PDB file of all heavy atoms in Angstrom:
ATOM      1  N   LEU N   1      -2.303   2.491  12.944  1.00 94.00           N
ATOM      2  CA  LEU N   1      -1.650   2.241  11.679  1.00 94.00           C
ATOM      3  C   LEU N   1      -2.321   1.058  10.981  1.00 94.00           C
ATOM      4  O   LEU N   1      -2.357  -0.024  11.503  1.00 94.00           O
ATOM      5  CB  LEU N   1      -0.157   1.948  11.881  1.00 94.00           C
ATOM      6  CG  LEU N   1       0.625   1.550  10.639  1.00 94.00           C
ATOM      7  CD1 LEU N   1       0.680   2.727   9.652  1.00 94.00           C
ATOM      8  CD2 LEU N   1       2.030   1.089  11.021  1.00 94.00           C
ATOM      9  N   ILE N   2      -2.855   1.327   9.812  1.00 94.00           N
ATOM     10  CA  ILE N   2      -3.444   0.259   8.999  1.00 94.00           C
ATOM     11  C   ILE N   2      -2.334  -0.445   8.222  1.00 94.00           C
ATOM     12  O   ILE N   2      -2.320  -1.657   8.115  1.00 94.00           O
ATOM     13  CB  ILE N   2      -4.455   0.848   7.986  1.00 94.00           C
ATOM     14  CG1 ILE N   2      -5.558   1.648   8.712  1.00 94.00           C
ATOM     15  CG2 ILE N   2      -5.041  -0.237   7.101  1.00 94.00           C
ATOM     16  CD1 ILE N   2      -6.345   0.890   9.744  1.00 94.00           C
ATOM     17  N   GLY N   3      -1.388   0.340   7.718  1.00 93.00           N
ATOM     18  CA  GLY N   3      -0.235  -0.239   6.989  1.00 93.00           C
ATOM     19  C   GLY N   3       0.516   0.838   6.237  1.00 93.00           C
ATOM     20  O   GLY N   3       0.115   1.990   6.189  1.00 93.00           O
ATOM     21  N   ILE N   4       1.633   0.439   5.643  1.00 93.00           N
ATOM     22  CA  ILE N   4       2.440   1.311   4.808  1.00 93.00           C
ATOM     23  C   ILE N   4       2.130   0.962   3.361  1.00 93.00           C
ATOM     24  O   ILE N   4       2.198  -0.211   2.983  1.00 93.00           O
ATOM     25  CB  ILE N   4       3.951   1.124   5.112  1.00 93.00           C
ATOM     26  CG1 ILE N   4       4.267   1.333   6.571  1.00 93.00           C
ATOM     27  CG2 ILE N   4       4.795   2.022   4.187  1.00 93.00           C
ATOM     28  CD1 ILE N   4       4.053   2.753   7.075  1.00 93.00           C
ATOM     29  N   TYR N   5       1.799   1.949   2.577  1.00 94.00           N
ATOM     30  CA  TYR N   5       1.519   1.749   1.149  1.00 94.00           C
ATOM     31  C   TYR N   5       2.817   1.447   0.435  1.00 94.00           C
ATOM     32  O   TYR N   5       3.729   2.291   0.447  1.00 94.00           O
ATOM     33  CB  TYR N   5       0.799   2.941   0.542  1.00 94.00           C
ATOM     34  CG  TYR N   5       0.136   2.669  -0.780  1.00 94.00           C
ATOM     35  CD1 TYR N   5      -1.168   2.190  -0.820  1.00 94.00           C
ATOM     36  CD2 TYR N   5       0.819   2.851  -2.001  1.00 94.00           C
ATOM     37  CE1 TYR N   5      -1.791   1.910  -2.023  1.00 94.00           C
ATOM     38  CE2 TYR N   5       0.188   2.586  -3.185  1.00 94.00           C
ATOM     39  CZ  TYR N   5      -1.105   2.126  -3.211  1.00 94.00           C
ATOM     40  OH  TYR N   5      -1.696   1.828  -4.418  1.00 94.00           O
ATOM     41  N   THR N   6       2.916   0.284  -0.227  1.00 93.00           N
ATOM     42  CA  THR N   6       4.160  -0.080  -0.906  1.00 93.00           C
ATOM     43  C   THR N   6       3.895  -0.399  -2.371  1.00 93.00           C
ATOM     44  O   THR N   6       2.750  -0.620  -2.772  1.00 93.00           O
ATOM     45  CB  THR N   6       4.821  -1.281  -0.236  1.00 93.00           C
ATOM     46  OG1 THR N   6       3.961  -2.407  -0.323  1.00 93.00           O
ATOM     47  CG2 THR N   6       5.189  -1.003   1.212  1.00 93.00           C
ATOM     48  N   GLY N   7       4.991  -0.457  -3.116  1.00 93.00           N
ATOM     49  CA  GLY N   7       4.911  -0.790  -4.524  1.00 93.00           C
ATOM     50  C   GLY N   7       6.099  -0.227  -5.231  1.00 93.00           C
ATOM     51  O   GLY N   7       7.032   0.359  -4.656  1.00 93.00           O
ATOM     52  N   ARG N   8       6.095  -0.377  -6.546  1.00 92.00           N
ATOM     53  CA  ARG N   8       7.171   0.149  -7.371  1.00 92.00           C
ATOM     54  C   ARG N   8       7.121   1.698  -7.367  1.00 92.00           C
ATOM     55  O   ARG N   8       6.039   2.268  -7.489  1.00 92.00           O
ATOM     56  CB  ARG N   8       7.061  -0.353  -8.799  1.00 92.00           C
ATOM     57  CG  ARG N   8       8.159   0.197  -9.685  1.00 92.00           C
ATOM     58  CD  ARG N   8       8.152  -0.367 -11.052  1.00 92.00           C
ATOM     59  NE  ARG N   8       9.159   0.326 -11.843  1.00 92.00           N
ATOM     60  CZ  ARG N   8       9.296   0.200 -13.141  1.00 92.00           C
ATOM     61  NH1 ARG N   8       8.510  -0.619 -13.808  1.00 92.00           N
ATOM     62  NH2 ARG N   8      10.241   0.880 -13.777  1.00 92.00           N
ATOM     63  N   ARG N   9       8.274   2.303  -7.184  1.00 93.00           N
ATOM     64  CA  ARG N   9       8.354   3.755  -7.201  1.00 93.00           C
ATOM     65  C   ARG N   9       8.818   4.251  -8.526  1.00 93.00           C
ATOM     66  O   ARG N   9       9.739   3.716  -9.121  1.00 93.00           O
ATOM     67  CB  ARG N   9       9.307   4.236  -6.119  1.00 93.00           C
ATOM     68  CG  ARG N   9       8.745   4.138  -4.753  1.00 93.00           C
ATOM     69  CD  ARG N   9       9.649   4.829  -3.738  1.00 93.00           C
ATOM     70  NE  ARG N   9       9.053   4.631  -2.449  1.00 93.00           N
ATOM     71  CZ  ARG N   9       8.513   5.630  -1.732  1.00 93.00           C
ATOM     72  NH1 ARG N   9       8.505   6.829  -2.173  1.00 93.00           N
ATOM     73  NH2 ARG N   9       7.981   5.360  -0.566  1.00 93.00           N
ATOM     74  N   TYR N  10       8.191   5.317  -8.991  1.00 90.00           N
ATOM     75  CA  TYR N  10       8.531   5.994 -10.218  1.00 90.00           C
ATOM     76  C   TYR N  10       8.905   7.450  -9.891  1.00 90.00           C
ATOM     77  O   TYR N  10       8.201   8.091  -9.121  1.00 90.00           O
ATOM     78  CB  TYR N  10       7.379   6.011 -11.196  1.00 90.00           C
ATOM     79  CG  TYR N  10       6.969   4.661 -11.748  1.00 90.00           C
ATOM     80  CD1 TYR N  10       6.104   3.834 -11.064  1.00 90.00           C
ATOM     81  CD2 TYR N  10       7.465   4.263 -12.968  1.00 90.00           C
ATOM     82  CE1 TYR N  10       5.729   2.606 -11.598  1.00 90.00           C
ATOM     83  CE2 TYR N  10       7.108   3.038 -13.508  1.00 90.00           C
ATOM     84  CZ  TYR N  10       6.241   2.242 -12.820  1.00 90.00           C
ATOM     85  OH  TYR N  10       5.882   0.992 -13.329  1.00 90.00           O
ATOM     86  N   SER N  11       9.965   7.948 -10.515  1.00 86.00           N
ATOM     87  CA  SER N  11      10.258   9.371 -10.414  1.00 86.00           C
ATOM     88  C   SER N  11       9.147  10.102 -11.212  1.00 86.00           C
ATOM     89  O   SER N  11       8.411   9.490 -11.987  1.00 86.00           O
ATOM     90  CB  SER N  11      11.625   9.674 -10.988  1.00 86.00           C
ATOM     91  OG  SER N  11      11.619   9.524 -12.415  1.00 86.00           O
ATOM     92  N   ALA N  12       9.088  11.425 -11.062  1.00 85.00           N
ATOM     93  CA  ALA N  12       8.098  12.188 -11.796  1.00 85.00           C
ATOM     94  C   ALA N  12       8.273  12.005 -13.293  1.00 85.00           C
ATOM     95  O   ALA N  12       7.304  11.796 -14.031  1.00 85.00           O
ATOM     96  CB  ALA N  12       8.201  13.668 -11.435  1.00 85.00           C
ATOM     97  N   ASP N  13       9.508  12.032 -13.784  1.00 85.00           N
ATOM     98  CA  ASP N  13       9.775  11.843 -15.197  1.00 85.00           C
ATOM     99  C   ASP N  13       9.355  10.437 -15.672  1.00 85.00           C
ATOM    100  O   ASP N  13       8.775  10.283 -16.748  1.00 85.00           O
ATOM    101  CB  ASP N  13      11.238  12.068 -15.544  1.00 85.00           C
ATOM    102  CG  ASP N  13      11.644  13.552 -15.436  1.00 85.00           C
ATOM    103  OD1 ASP N  13      10.719  14.417 -15.515  1.00 85.00           O
ATOM    104  OD2 ASP N  13      12.865  13.809 -15.277  1.00 85.00           O
ATOM    105  N   GLU N  14       9.686   9.418 -14.877  1.00 86.00           N
ATOM    106  CA  GLU N  14       9.312   8.074 -15.216  1.00 86.00           C
ATOM    107  C   GLU N  14       7.820   7.898 -15.272  1.00 86.00           C
ATOM    108  O   GLU N  14       7.280   7.296 -16.193  1.00 86.00           O
ATOM    109  CB  GLU N  14       9.893   7.062 -14.202  1.00 86.00           C
ATOM    110  CG  GLU N  14      11.379   6.894 -14.274  1.00 86.00           C
ATOM    111  CD  GLU N  14      11.936   6.066 -13.126  1.00 86.00           C
ATOM    112  OE1 GLU N  14      11.347   6.129 -12.011  1.00 86.00           O
ATOM    113  OE2 GLU N  14      12.935   5.400 -13.329  1.00 86.00           O
ATOM    114  N   ALA N  15       7.105   8.475 -14.272  1.00 82.00           N
ATOM    115  CA  ALA N  15       5.657   8.334 -14.243  1.00 82.00           C
ATOM    116  C   ALA N  15       5.006   9.024 -15.408  1.00 82.00           C
ATOM    117  O   ALA N  15       4.039   8.500 -16.011  1.00 82.00           O
ATOM    118  CB  ALA N  15       5.131   8.915 -12.925  1.00 82.00           C
ATOM    119  N   HIS N  16       5.513  10.208 -15.811  1.00 78.00           N
ATOM    120  CA  HIS N  16       4.935  10.920 -16.951  1.00 78.00           C
ATOM    121  C   HIS N  16       5.222  10.196 -18.247  1.00 78.00           C
ATOM    122  O   HIS N  16       4.450  10.316 -19.207  1.00 78.00           O
ATOM    123  CB  HIS N  16       5.438  12.360 -17.019  1.00 78.00           C
ATOM    124  CG  HIS N  16       4.922  13.225 -15.933  1.00 78.00           C
ATOM    125  ND1 HIS N  16       3.570  13.496 -15.809  1.00 78.00           N
ATOM    126  CD2 HIS N  16       5.529  13.878 -14.931  1.00 78.00           C
ATOM    127  CE1 HIS N  16       3.384  14.252 -14.728  1.00 78.00           C
ATOM    128  NE2 HIS N  16       4.541  14.504 -14.176  1.00 78.00           N
ATOM    129  N   GLY N  17       6.286   9.387 -18.296  1.00 78.00           N
ATOM    130  CA  GLY N  17       6.636   8.672 -19.522  1.00 78.00           C
ATOM    131  C   GLY N  17       5.915   7.341 -19.656  1.00 78.00           C
ATOM    132  O   GLY N  17       5.968   6.715 -20.727  1.00 78.00           O
ATOM    133  N   GLU N  18       5.253   6.886 -18.625  1.00 73.00           N
ATOM    134  CA  GLU N  18       4.538   5.605 -18.641  1.00 73.00           C
ATOM    135  C   GLU N  18       3.193   5.739 -19.366  1.00 73.00           C
ATOM    136  O   GLU N  18       2.520   6.753 -19.278  1.00 73.00           O
ATOM    137  CB  GLU N  18       4.282   5.073 -17.218  1.00 73.00           C
ATOM    138  CG  GLU N  18       5.475   4.501 -16.553  1.00 73.00           C
ATOM    139  CD  GLU N  18       5.920   3.190 -17.181  1.00 73.00           C
ATOM    140  OE1 GLU N  18       5.067   2.322 -17.493  1.00 73.00           O
ATOM    141  OE2 GLU N  18       7.142   3.047 -17.342  1.00 73.00           O
ATOM    142  N   ASP N  19       2.798   4.673 -20.053  1.00 71.00           N
ATOM    143  CA  ASP N  19       1.463   4.575 -20.627  1.00 71.00           C
ATOM    144  C   ASP N  19       0.618   3.765 -19.651  1.00 71.00           C
ATOM    145  O   ASP N  19       0.702   2.564 -19.597  1.00 71.00           O
ATOM    146  CB  ASP N  19       1.544   3.903 -21.985  1.00 71.00           C
ATOM    147  CG  ASP N  19       0.161   3.769 -22.639  1.00 71.00           C
ATOM    148  OD1 ASP N  19      -0.829   4.377 -22.155  1.00 71.00           O
ATOM    149  OD2 ASP N  19       0.083   3.037 -23.664  1.00 71.00           O
ATOM    150  N   TRP N  20      -0.198   4.455 -18.863  1.00 70.00           N
ATOM    151  CA  TRP N  20      -0.981   3.809 -17.834  1.00 70.00           C
ATOM    152  C   TRP N  20      -2.305   3.250 -18.329  1.00 70.00           C
ATOM    153  O   TRP N  20      -2.989   2.501 -17.609  1.00 70.00           O
ATOM    154  CB  TRP N  20      -1.281   4.802 -16.657  1.00 70.00           C
ATOM    155  CG  TRP N  20      -0.042   5.340 -16.040  1.00 70.00           C
ATOM    156  CD1 TRP N  20       0.421   6.626 -16.130  1.00 70.00           C
ATOM    157  CD2 TRP N  20       0.890   4.657 -15.205  1.00 70.00           C
ATOM    158  NE1 TRP N  20       1.569   6.768 -15.395  1.00 70.00           N
ATOM    159  CE2 TRP N  20       1.888   5.577 -14.859  1.00 70.00           C
ATOM    160  CE3 TRP N  20       0.993   3.340 -14.777  1.00 70.00           C
ATOM    161  CZ2 TRP N  20       2.961   5.215 -14.008  1.00 70.00           C
ATOM    162  CZ3 TRP N  20       2.039   2.973 -13.955  1.00 70.00           C
ATOM    163  CH2 TRP N  20       3.027   3.906 -13.601  1.00 70.00           C
ATOM    164  N   ASP N  21      -2.656   3.583 -19.555  1.00 69.00           N
ATOM    165  CA  ASP N  21      -3.950   3.104 -20.125  1.00 69.00           C
ATOM    166  C   ASP N  21      -3.903   1.558 -20.277  1.00 69.00           C
ATOM    167  O   ASP N  21      -2.855   0.990 -20.576  1.00 69.00           O
ATOM    168  CB  ASP N  21      -4.207   3.748 -21.499  1.00 69.00           C
ATOM    169  CG  ASP N  21      -4.463   5.240 -21.380  1.00 69.00           C
ATOM    170  OD1 ASP N  21      -4.867   5.677 -20.287  1.00 69.00           O
ATOM    171  OD2 ASP N  21      -4.251   5.940 -22.376  1.00 69.00           O
ATOM    172  N   ASN N  22      -5.023   0.962 -20.062  1.00 66.00           N
ATOM    173  CA  ASN N  22      -5.221  -0.471 -20.247  1.00 66.00           C
ATOM    174  C   ASN N  22      -4.314  -1.304 -19.353  1.00 66.00           C
ATOM    175  O   ASN N  22      -3.933  -2.434 -19.688  1.00 66.00           O
ATOM    176  CB  ASN N  22      -5.001  -0.861 -21.726  1.00 66.00           C
ATOM    177  CG  ASN N  22      -5.958  -0.128 -22.624  1.00 66.00           C
ATOM    178  OD1 ASN N  22      -7.136  -0.007 -22.327  1.00 66.00           O
ATOM    179  ND2 ASN N  22      -5.411   0.409 -23.723  1.00 66.00           N
ATOM    180  N   ARG N  23      -3.926  -0.764 -18.191  1.00 63.00           N
ATOM    181  CA  ARG N  23      -3.140  -1.479 -17.190  1.00 63.00           C
ATOM    182  C   ARG N  23      -3.857  -1.365 -15.850  1.00 63.00           C
ATOM    183  O   ARG N  23      -4.424  -0.336 -15.548  1.00 63.00           O
ATOM    184  CB  ARG N  23      -1.750  -0.877 -17.010  1.00 63.00           C
ATOM    185  CG  ARG N  23      -0.852  -1.109 -18.160  1.00 63.00           C
ATOM    186  CD  ARG N  23       0.454  -0.357 -18.084  1.00 63.00           C
ATOM    187  NE  ARG N  23       1.187  -0.462 -16.827  1.00 63.00           N
ATOM    188  CZ  ARG N  23       2.344   0.182 -16.620  1.00 63.00           C
ATOM    189  NH1 ARG N  23       2.834   0.966 -17.545  1.00 63.00           N
ATOM    190  NH2 ARG N  23       2.930   0.060 -15.460  1.00 63.00           N
ATOM    191  N   LEU N  24      -3.785  -2.416 -15.075  1.00 64.00           N
ATOM    192  CA  LEU N  24      -4.301  -2.328 -13.710  1.00 64.00           C
ATOM    193  C   LEU N  24      -3.273  -1.569 -12.861  1.00 64.00           C
ATOM    194  O   LEU N  24      -2.088  -1.991 -12.786  1.00 64.00           O
ATOM    195  CB  LEU N  24      -4.535  -3.708 -13.125  1.00 64.00           C
ATOM    196  CG  LEU N  24      -5.024  -3.767 -11.685  1.00 64.00           C
ATOM    197  CD1 LEU N  24      -6.368  -3.111 -11.559  1.00 64.00           C
ATOM    198  CD2 LEU N  24      -5.086  -5.204 -11.211  1.00 64.00           C
TER     199      LEU N  24
END
């Protein structure tokens, strides 16, 4: 096990509604 990938979770609808451009 290298690790568990963590971070903020988005539902499918939330992810599709986000503007991911110009963001890390």
Side-chain angles (χ1 to χ4, degrees):
L1 175 65
I2 304 301
I4 304 294
Y5 195 89
T6 61
R8 179 175 175 190
R9 285 188 182 250
Y10 291 86
S11 69
D13 289 340
E14 290 171 329
H16 289 299
E18 283 291 316
D19 179 11
W20 300 110
D21 293 337
N22 302 316
R23 288 172 51 181
L24 178 62

